[in-house]
């Protein structure tokens, strides 16, 4: 009986350790942020707020969305997906920069981010949130000439997952992207460490890339202090055609689009069919 109790105690300790490791990954990898602040209206930009319901099978709850319509219902439209430790409010300048290009823009806070109810997000939950947003986005912009998705940082991995399984994606823009969380961890430590086996919320895009038939634009800055440009280069090289890259010297992770705003604008506009750079 003593040996049996020891086995039970050891099993309980292992299960507890696994549960804590799972929770720690969800918290530190997804880094939910609760920052709020200015809205598009504070900048004189017309917008609508929406709360998108998520099925109970995916955990239930609501996804907070901003909808910034374009002047014309036929203008190209883009769904913006932010990264970890970010919200609609922290990324408002990038959201408004997309709107200034003449695009209709939907941007979302995943469950657990921004001013929504408390929720500890997971890889699965943010994928579900993006897919729900895509369906609402398509309904709001049925006449749009193109439907694009723009993902920044972790949002890039979410955008690639969505583009691999969702219909009607006309273009994918990945800003500060990577192939997996394990690759980022290895870039800061050693390539032989078993992060692929240890990390459950890995946001791996390796198997998804072949399914993304839409044109892809990869944006990266050499001064990116979070995701080394070498990882963005690897992502670009492994991605199937059609594809293009805008890799700029300098800049940083959170505001690479500001490194050369005119060039960034020209490439994004080209993806939207508003110029001929791409």
């Amino acid at each position: 009986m003593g040996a049996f109790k020891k086995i039970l105690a050891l099993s309980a300790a292992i299960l507890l350790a696994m549960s804590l490791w799972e929770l720690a990954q969800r918290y530190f990898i997804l880094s939910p942020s609760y920052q709020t602040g200015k809205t598009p209206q504070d900048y004189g930009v017309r917008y609508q707020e929406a709360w998108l319901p998520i099925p109970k099978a995916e955990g239930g709850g609501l996804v907070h969305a901003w909808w910034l319509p374009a002047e014309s219902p036929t203008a190209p439209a883009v769904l913006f997906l932010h990264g970890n430790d970010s919200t609609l409010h922290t990324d408002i300048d990038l959201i408004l920069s997309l709107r200034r290009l003449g695009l209709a823009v939907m941007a979302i806070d995943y469950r657990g981010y921004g001013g929504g109810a408390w929720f500890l997000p997971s890889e699965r939950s943010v994928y579900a949130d993006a897919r729900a947003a895509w369906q609402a986005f398509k309904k709001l912009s049925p006449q749009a000439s193109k439907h694009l998705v723009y993902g920044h940082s972790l949002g890039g991995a979410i955008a690639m997952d969505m583009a691999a399984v969702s219909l009607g994606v006309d273009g994918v823009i990945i800003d500060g992207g990577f192939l997996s969380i394990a690759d980022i961890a290895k870039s800061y430590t050693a390539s032989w460490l078993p992060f692929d086996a240890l990390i459950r919320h890995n946001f791996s895009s390796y198997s998804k890339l072949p399914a993304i038939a839409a044109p892809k634009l990869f944006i990266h800055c050499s001064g990116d202090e979070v995701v080394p440009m070498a990882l963005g280069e690897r992502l670009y090289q492994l991605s199937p055609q059609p594809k293009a890259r805008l890799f700029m010297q300098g800049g940083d992770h959170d505001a690479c689009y500001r490194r050369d705003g005119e060039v960034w604008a020209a490439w994004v506009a080209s993806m939207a069919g508003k110029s001929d750079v791409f």
Side-chain angles (χ1 to χ4, degrees), residues 38-175:
K38 292 184 177 181
T39 70
Q41 184 175 342
D42 294 312
Y43 296 89
V45 178
R46 181 168 58 97
Y47 87 111
Q48 302 166 15
E49 280 193 295
W51 293 89
L52 313 176
I54 302 298
K56 288 185 179 179
E58 295 292 350
L62 300 169
V63 169
H64 185 203
W66 286 350
W67 170 240
L68 288 65
E71 296 301 323
S72 169
T74 61
V78 59
L79 172 64
F80 176 75
L81 303 173
H82 66 65
N84 64 358
D85 197 29
S86 299
T87 68
L88 292 170
H89 304 277
T90 65
D91 284 17
I92 191 169
D93 185 63
L94 178 48
I95 293 168
L96 293 178
S97 294
L98 291 167
R99 179 62 191 84
R100 291 187 196 105
L101 296 178
L103 311 180
V105 184
M106 174 181 273
I108 66 167
D109 270 335
Y110 319 105
R111 285 170 291 168
Y113 291 77
W118 187 90
F119 182 88
L120 183 59
S122 66
E123 182 174 8
R124 175 175 173 173
S125 77
V126 293
Y127 287 163
D129 295 349
R131 293 171 190 176
W134 182 257
Q135 296 302 316
F137 168 69
K138 293 290 293 294
K139 290 179 180 178
L140 283 168
S141 55
Q143 301 179 59
S145 58
K146 284 193 176 185
H147 289 94
L148 312 176
V149 56
Y150 189 120
H152 174 250
S153 190
L154 191 73
I158 300 168
M160 286 186 281
D161 174 83
M162 197 193 69
V165 299
S166 300
L167 298 176
V169 179
D170 297 314
V172 184
I173 303 171
I174 308 299
D175 184 345

